[in-house]
Amino acid sequence: MSGDPHDPAHGDPRGPVIRAAGCVLWRRAPGGGSVEVCLVHRPKYGDFSFPKGKLKRDEEPLAAAVREVLEETGYHCAPGPRLPTAHYLVDGRPKEVAYWAAEATGGSFTANDEVDRILWLAPEAARTRLTQPRDVRQLTAFLDALPRC
């Protein structure tokens, strides 16, 4: 395996890395060429973030990201550019979340156990609603990648 200290096989002294994946889900704003991004509200945490979740056993990160978007938002998506991987600690354990930009291709939201509502917002409005600074960094990376979308 790799020499990456975040690789689960590397043996992080804090425990195995929690692996997750998600997307900055976006669409063209109704009636115009501007972009909106989707934020999910998770009542368990009281936060606004991008759809993401843990990988299932032997699941590829991109497949997990697309699955999580559908499970949390009800939207199908077309993945685009890879965005930076987020690294942070959760209850003292390292977590890494692989992200992609993904355009919504259809669907509709129904509240579920994990997400009670979603918001489609212009990027600057989303910037002020996101709870975690690491998600704001993902939004910035998404905006930098947008011309290639």
Side-chain angles (χ1 to χ4, degrees):
M1 286 278 179
S2 77
D4 179 354
H6 297 289
D7 185 332
H10 188 70
D12 191 300
R14 297 166 292 187
V17 173
I18 301 165
R19 297 184 65 224
C23 294
V24 176
L25 184 65
W26 67 278
R27 69 181 183 188
R28 296 283 172 202
S34 60
V35 168
E36 294 178 328
V37 296
C38 181
L39 304 187
V40 298
H41 181 260
R42 303 179 307 167
K44 178 179 178 180
Y45 302 105
D47 68 355
F48 281 98
S49 64
F50 296 116
K52 65 182 175 300
K54 294 177 189 165
L55 274 62
K56 293 181 178 180
R57 184 179 199 89
D58 298 324
E59 186 176 31
E60 292 296 321
L62 181 55
V66 170
R67 175 183 54 76
E68 287 291 337
V69 165
L70 183 60
E71 287 177 3
E72 292 190 0
T73 70
Y75 281 83
H76 295 275
C77 66
R82 177 78 190 256
L83 300 174
T85 298
H87 298 272
Y88 53 97
L89 295 177
V90 175
D91 297 327
R93 284 184 58 197
K95 182 172 185 176
E96 64 179 37
V97 185
Y99 279 98
W100 284 263
E103 184 174 9
T105 58
S108 62
F109 175 72
T110 301
N112 56 67
D113 290 342
E114 288 185 63
V115 176
D116 63 352
R117 62 187 161 133
I118 66 171
L119 299 174
W120 286 100
L121 298 172
E124 288 311 308
R127 189 177 302 278
T128 64
R129 290 301 288 267
L130 285 163
T131 304
Q132 295 294 330
R134 63 181 167 259
D135 288 334
V136 175
R137 288 190 292 276
Q138 286 300 331
L139 178 62
T140 299
F142 163 75
L143 293 171
D144 289 345
L146 189 61
R148 296 188 300 269
C149 292

